[in-house]
Amino acid sequence: MASDAKRILLVEDEKAIRDAVAAYLDREGYWVVGVGDGQAAVEEFEKHNFDLVILDLMLPKLSGERVCRFIRDKNSVVPIIMLTAKGEVEDRIIGFELGADDYIVKPFSPRELVARVRAIFRRAHAEPQVEVLDFGDLVIDISGHKILVDGKNVDLTASEFKLLATLARHPGRVYNRMELVEKVLGYDFEGYERTIDSHVKNLRAKLGDDPRHPKWLFTVHGVGYRFEAYKPEENASEGASDK
Ligand code: CA
């Protein structure tokens, strides 16, 4: 193992799947810690700095949901890929609401999972060196991977951050959901609309952006979303000239 190898926490109670996935990741040069229950996952997460977590939803001792919440409390940016056996839209949405960045439905091929892992690391690596978008009440520090709302740090998941940064780099430009899926998740994705909607919903809650009277994130009905650089003066006079 190279000392600079990416560290992956693999949480899966089915030993055959865990061993197969671990073997694939190991062959790709990743450093893998595999555990078989939620309690062990939490303990390992506290012991090491992981670059990515692969997390089964149905786990003994502590559920994948609980583990996901725990990880997000500790670390808002480490990418999480959820493994779900059911493949129901509801399960996927739950995963994203918990702050997962991606999910994969069982049965899956370890090769596909490894491709997703690589895509996530590639996206993280492709971030520009120094970039700060300053919209006054909202400051997006792309290079530092953090945002300030009214001067306060707000934690976003990797996917929420990517979504916000994508929209905010081009204020006024309308992105359809498929474009956002490609930019944020990096590939074609079944059930994409609900996924992006779910990320936008989380983002709005964190930004304190009211969807009925948005400051920043605007829904473009039947198409997708756009970001606007908020200007209090213009918005204040808008009401009077509306009719
Ligand atoms: Ca399981």
Side-chain angles (χ1 to χ4, degrees):
M1 183 202 87
S3 60
D4 60 347
K6 298 277 190 196
R7 295 164 165 239
I8 298 175
L9 176 59
L10 169 63
V11 191
E12 166 61 65
D13 57 312
E14 284 172 68
K15 192 174 181 305
I17 298 179
R18 189 170 73 237
D19 289 350
V21 170
Y24 263 83
L25 291 170
D26 187 65
R27 215 173 305 156
E28 289 287 314
Y30 298 116
W31 185 80
V32 185
V33 173
V35 294
D37 68 73
Q39 186 59 44
V42 162
E43 285 164 15
E44 284 300 321
F45 191 80
E46 296 224 88
K47 263 190 256 170
H48 305 282
N49 282 317
F50 287 101
D51 299 297
L52 185 135
V53 179
I54 299 169
L55 180 61
D56 188 23
L57 201 53
M58 310 286 250
L59 288 170
K61 296 192 187 175
L62 209 59
S63 72
E65 277 126 299
R66 298 271 301 276
V67 174
C68 193
R69 282 212 182 87
F70 173 88
I71 290 172
R72 274 289 167 260
D73 277 352
K74 299 267 169 195
N75 183 325
S76 63
V77 297
V78 64
I80 300 174
I81 301 177
M82 280 273 192
L83 305 179
T84 163
K86 296 175 195 163
E88 298 293 334
V89 170
E90 287 67 29
D91 285 347
R92 307 172 194 180
I93 299 306
I94 287 170
F96 287 119
E97 280 174 356
L98 290 169
D101 299 279
D102 198 358
Y103 75 92
I104 194 161
V105 178
K106 291 179 187 176
F108 59 86
S109 74
R111 187 183 300 216
E112 189 190 349
L113 178 57
V114 168
R116 301 278 188 100
V117 168
R118 247 194 256 124
I120 283 182
F121 285 137
R122 208 170 39 232
R123 257 146 49 206
H125 202 70
E127 294 289 325
Q129 289 309 299
V130 178
E131 192 180 353
V132 176
L133 306 174
D134 189 343
F135 301 102
D137 290 353
L138 174 64
V139 177
I140 307 168
D141 179 353
I142 307 262
S143 38
H145 218 271
K146 60 185 181 184
I147 70 162
L148 297 173
V149 179
D150 293 330
K152 292 192 195 77
N153 262 303
V154 173
D155 288 335
L156 299 183
T157 68
S159 294
E160 288 162 7
F161 189 87
K162 190 88 186 168
L163 176 61
L164 179 62
T166 298
L167 291 166
R169 277 198 181 114
H170 304 280
R173 193 196 142 173
V174 177
Y175 286 86
N176 67 42
R177 289 178 177 85
M178 189 55 103
E179 284 179 282
L180 292 173
V181 166
E182 284 173 16
K183 290 197 183 289
V184 174
L185 301 172
Y187 51 83
D188 292 346
F189 188 77
E190 193 193 342
Y192 55 88
E193 294 200 356
R194 298 279 297 273
T195 306
I196 290 297
D197 293 347
S198 178
H199 283 315
V200 167
K201 188 175 158 226
N202 290 349
L203 252 181
R204 280 176 167 152
K206 290 182 180 181
L207 299 177
D209 208 15
D210 180 353
R212 280 163 303 178
H213 307 284
K215 282 170 83 173
W216 295 300
L217 293 173
F218 290 73
T219 302
V220 182
H221 289 290
V223 184
Y225 297 96
R226 70 170 203 276
F227 179 93
E228 289 290 347
Y230 177 65
K231 301 203 179 61
E233 318 80 48
E234 289 177 15
N235 283 43
S237 61
E238 212 172 67
S241 58
D242 208 28
K243 289 181 188 154

